């Protein structure tokens, strides 16, 4: 009993925190892989070549938009998917809101892991970017910085980035002293260098890239004073760019490279604002980058008035009438309509019944664009709050 009460209490706490933030962030984006398998998506869809072939491989396509962009894609394929479900005599899965969040977090996350690095390119890059002026590999090269051979714990791109970042201030001073320019890096460069270092090191410890916890990352973003210069929402102008406005829907190493490349300017403004160069330990960089990455997961707000028009134009009012009396329920009575994920969960769970009813009227399930999804959410949210 006690355990259950604790679970419920923490659940309520989590929900209320999410509510206050308006952003829903999955704690561990890889959790959704379990949902993906349990709900049998894997029977028809592969991820990176592993899984069924009835539907497209979901890691090959570009579904890395916001929650409602993803929702629009899935919704619009519902009729074809339903047909396959019937053909294969599979039950159409139902979702709880938490499962839906995990699933969407997972699909969004697929791209995050990025492209694998190339050892050969990494080797060339260490020369081309001037790293070897100061660093050696197995004794060959400069001695200003440490030998890469000792860096076995940095074989994951995230650990490499974290270590580079931590030494960023010293490295920049050394660069100035020797009159060298700051080496900018693309995301692919970082993957390649990590691949090379992984191969060059003598150790055989395999450290997998920790996925990063976006909710932790949000705390780190505040604790490391990133917030002093960067907004992620809101309009007030700050010293650094608003990070939710820039395209951070990229792989992990690309997000890392953005930070790295802006390092020198950031250091300058940090000195001006008397903020110390932030250092990261253990999994902090991974969490922080996961958070930045997930900023693109949140949707821009929709337009309530357009949502009301969409609701009529798409025929939702044929079945959902104010005060009830239609084939479907009055949507104003939905409880806990607190997030786009909630809307998707409800719509997914009811899609078969909606479709069956529509078929009897010789109509098709209406297609919904991202904008229409966003507007519908704004409209339904307002409606359910009355
Ligand atoms: C019974 C087979 C089947 C199952 C199970 C299934 N799908 Fe599909 N799915 C399909 C087919 C077939 C398509 C392609 C439909 C089309 O071309 O319009 C598709 C399309 C999609 C698309 C859009 C792909 C694109 O390229 O536009 C997404 C996203 C998707 N499914 C996600 C899921 C998720 C998430 C699950 C698990 C809840 C799931 N599917 C379960 C058969 C299935
Ligand atoms: C001008 C000299 C210089 C150049 C060029 C340079 N570094 Fe460094 N690097 C250093 C110094 C000095 C340190 C150690 C700083 C410290 O102890 O705080 C360091 C530390 C590091 C570390 C952390 C090592 C540890 O022990 O944790 C990594 C990783 C690293 N550099 C990678 C690179 C890469 C990759 C490049 C090329 C893109 C590069 N460095 C270019 C001087 C340089
Ligand atoms: C003292 C102010 C300041 C602090 C603190 C600061 N930044 Fe920045 N940041 C900037 C400025 C200024 C730029 C733009 C630099 C440029 O244009 O090269 C920037 C750029 C960036 C960019 C690249 C944005 C783009 O447009 O491509 C990222 C990502 C970033 N910062 C993340 C962070 C993170 C994460 C933290 C906390 C660890 C942080 N910043 C702390 C001032 C700051
Ligand atoms: C042909 C009739 C029909 C149309 C058209 C229709 N729905 Fe439904 N809808 C239903 C039925 C019936 C249910 C209840 C199904 C159930 O209980 O499983 C439902 C349930 C829902 C629910 C979940 C309500 C709850 O309380 O759980 C939502 C949200 C919803 N519909 C949204 C929409 C939207 C948005 C549209 C327009 C794009 C739409 N519906 C169009 C028949 C329809």
């Amino acid at each position: 009993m006690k355990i259950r009460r604790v679970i419920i209490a923490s659940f309520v706490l989590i929900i209320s925190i999410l509510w206050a933030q308006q952003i829903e962030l999955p704690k561990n984006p890889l959790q959704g892989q379990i949902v993906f398998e349990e709900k049998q998506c894997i029977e028809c869809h592969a991820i990176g070549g592993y899984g069924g072939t009835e539907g497209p491989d979901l890691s090959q396509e570009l579904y890395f938009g916001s929650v409602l962009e993803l929702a629009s894609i899935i919704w619009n394929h519902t009729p074809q998917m339903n047909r396959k479900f019937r053909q294969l005599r599979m039950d159409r899965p139902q979702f709880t809101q938490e499962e839906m969040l995990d699933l969407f977090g997972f699909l969004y996350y697929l791209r995050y892991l990025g492209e694998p690095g190339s050892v050969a390119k990494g080797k060339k890059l260490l020369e081309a970017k001037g790293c070897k002026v100061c660093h050696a590999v197995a004794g060959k090269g400069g001695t200003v910085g440490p030998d890469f051979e000792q860096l076995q714990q940095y074989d994951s791109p995230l650990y490499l980035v974290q270590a580079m970042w931590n030494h960023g201030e010293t490295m920049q001073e050394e660069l100035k002293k020797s009159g060298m320019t700051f080496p900018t890096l693309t995301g692919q460069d970082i993957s390649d260098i990590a691949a090379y270092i992984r191969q060059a090191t003598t150790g055989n410890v395999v450290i997998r890239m920790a996925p990063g916890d976006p909710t932790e990352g949000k705390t780190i973003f505040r604790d490391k004073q990133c917030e002093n210069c960067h907004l992620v929402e809101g309009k007030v102008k700050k010293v650094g760019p608003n990070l939710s406005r820039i395209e951070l829907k990229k792989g992990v190493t690309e997000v890392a490279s953005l930070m790295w490349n802006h390092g020198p300017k950031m250091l300058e403004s940090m000195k001006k604002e008397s903020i110390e160069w932030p250092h990261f330990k253990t999994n902090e960089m991974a969490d922080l980058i996961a958070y930045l990455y997930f900023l693109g997961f949140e949707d821009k707000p929709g337009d309530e008035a357009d949502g009301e028009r969409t609701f009529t134009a798409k025929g939702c009012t044929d079945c959902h009438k104010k005060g009830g009396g239609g084939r479907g329920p009055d949507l104003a009575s939905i409880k806990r309509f607190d997030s786009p994920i909630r809307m998707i969960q409800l719509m997914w769970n009811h899609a078969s019944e909606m479709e069956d009813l529509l078929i009897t009227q010789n109509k098709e399930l209406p297609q919904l664009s991202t904008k229409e999804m966003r507007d519908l959410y704004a409209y339904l949210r307002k409606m359910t709050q009355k």
Side-chain angles (χ1 to χ4, degrees):
M1 260 331 266
K2 228 187 208 158
I3 293 177
R4 187 186 266 175
R5 224 176 295 144
V6 172
I7 292 174
I8 292 175
S10 39
F11 183 65
V12 169
L13 181 71
I14 290 166
I15 290 293
S16 50
I17 291 171
L18 291 175
W19 220 322
Q21 291 175 343
Q22 279 292 312
I23 297 191
E24 272 184 300
L25 295 170
K27 259 200 94 58
N28 175 1
L30 293 180
Q31 184 69 22
Q33 182 159 15
I34 300 169
V35 178
F36 191 78
E37 287 173 17
E38 275 178 4
K39 301 291 173 183
Q40 296 184 292
C41 315
I42 193 105
E43 299 292 325
C44 297
H45 295 284
I47 301 282
Y50 172 73
T53 51
E54 297 283 345
D57 184 325
L58 294 184
S59 64
Q60 311 266 298
E61 311 269 338
L62 296 169
Y63 319 113
F64 308 102
S66 63
V67 168
L68 290 173
E69 274 179 278
L70 207 54
S72 157
I73 293 170
I74 295 185
W75 178 259
N76 292 339
H77 287 295
T78 306
Q80 284 91 325
M81 274 203 245
N82 282 356
R83 211 170 299 138
K84 271 277 175 276
F85 277 119
R86 285 190 292 267
Q87 263 173 22
L88 301 175
R89 294 176 199 284
M90 285 169 67
D91 285 333
R92 204 169 165 279
Q94 298 277 301
F95 288 87
T96 65
Q97 188 174 344
E98 289 65 42
E99 287 169 340
M100 204 45 124
L101 176 61
D102 282 346
L103 178 70
F104 269 60
F106 173 64
L107 291 176
Y108 182 75
Y109 199 70
L110 287 175
R111 167 88 166 274
Y112 178 81
L113 298 173
E115 301 289 319
S118 144
V119 175
K121 282 199 191 131
K123 185 172 182 201
K124 284 194 198 122
L125 276 168
L126 286 188
E127 304 270 359
K129 296 288 177 183
C131 315
K132 287 190 74 182
V133 175
C134 300
H135 293 279
V137 180
K140 285 197 203 105
T143 52
V144 182
D147 190 324
F148 282 130
E149 205 182 60
Q150 296 151 9
L151 303 186
Q152 35 179 287
Q153 64 268 50
Y154 304 128
D155 60 355
S156 139
L158 272 177
Y159 288 111
L160 175 73
V161 166
Q162 175 161 302
M164 282 174 69
W165 180 269
N166 285 344
H167 296 292
E169 198 178 357
T170 322
M171 224 193 256
Q172 287 180 41
E173 280 159 15
E174 290 293 336
L175 283 166
K176 271 207 194 108
K177 265 194 241 159
S178 40
M180 291 169 67
T181 49
F182 180 79
T184 54
L185 299 168
T186 66
Q188 192 58 48
D189 290 346
I190 293 176
S191 300
D192 292 344
I193 292 177
Y196 175 62
I197 293 181
R198 179 159 52 229
Q199 210 223 15
T201 54
T202 44
N204 53 2
V205 203
V206 180
I207 298 175
R208 284 180 202 284
M209 182 150 62
D213 173 348
T215 52
E216 269 309 307
K218 193 181 163 86
T219 312
I220 294 167
F221 191 75
R222 196 184 49 225
D223 291 351
K224 301 286 176 185
Q225 297 181 288
C226 314
E227 266 187 359
N228 287 23
C229 299
H230 293 286
L231 278 173
V232 294
E233 55 226 10
K235 292 202 182 81
V236 198
K237 188 136 177 50
K238 291 215 178 183
V239 182
N242 181 333
L243 297 182
S244 61
R245 301 251 174 85
I246 57 173
E247 279 286 307
L248 282 173
K249 291 186 304 201
K250 299 180 171 174
V252 53
T253 53
E254 275 166 89
V255 178
S257 82
L258 271 184
M259 261 181 83
W260 175 256
N261 293 342
H262 290 289
K265 282 242 176 79
M266 278 206 249
L267 181 59
E268 244 171 60
S269 50
M270 280 176 192
K271 282 188 177 149
K272 263 190 233 145
E273 312 269 320
S274 309
I275 294 177
E276 268 182 44
W277 183 256
H279 285 70
F280 302 98
K281 52 183 194 304
T282 56
N283 220 36
E284 286 182 342
M285 186 63 116
D287 293 342
L288 180 66
I289 290 178
Y291 170 64
L292 293 178
Y293 179 74
F294 266 92
L295 289 176
F297 197 48
E298 200 200 2
D299 276 279
K300 294 186 191 69
D303 183 300
E304 287 164 12
D306 283 352
E308 184 165 9
R309 279 189 282 277
T310 303
F311 197 68
T312 310
K314 296 289 171 176
C316 315
T317 40
D318 293 352
C319 296
H320 297 288
K321 300 197 188 307
K322 283 203 178 107
R327 311 287 282 280
D330 176 0
L331 297 184
S333 64
I334 302 177
K335 294 278 177 319
R336 220 162 54 77
F337 197 84
D338 50 1
S339 76
I341 290 283
R342 174 79 169 141
M343 179 171 83
I344 302 155
Q345 176 223 351
L346 293 173
M347 286 178 69
W348 170 280
N349 287 349
H350 296 303
S352 309
E353 203 169 328
M354 276 190 221
E355 204 194 357
D356 289 348
L357 272 176
L358 284 164
I359 288 170
T360 63
Q361 304 169 0
N362 208 12
K363 285 186 194 149
E364 282 174 7
L365 201 70
Q367 299 270 299
L368 294 168
S369 69
T370 304
K371 161 139 177 61
E372 287 164 346
M373 280 279 183
R374 287 179 179 158
D375 295 344
L376 269 180
Y377 174 64
Y379 172 62
L380 291 180
R381 189 176 158 79
K382 189 179 122 216
M383 189 202 272
T384 54
Q385 277 172 345
K386 277 204 188 122

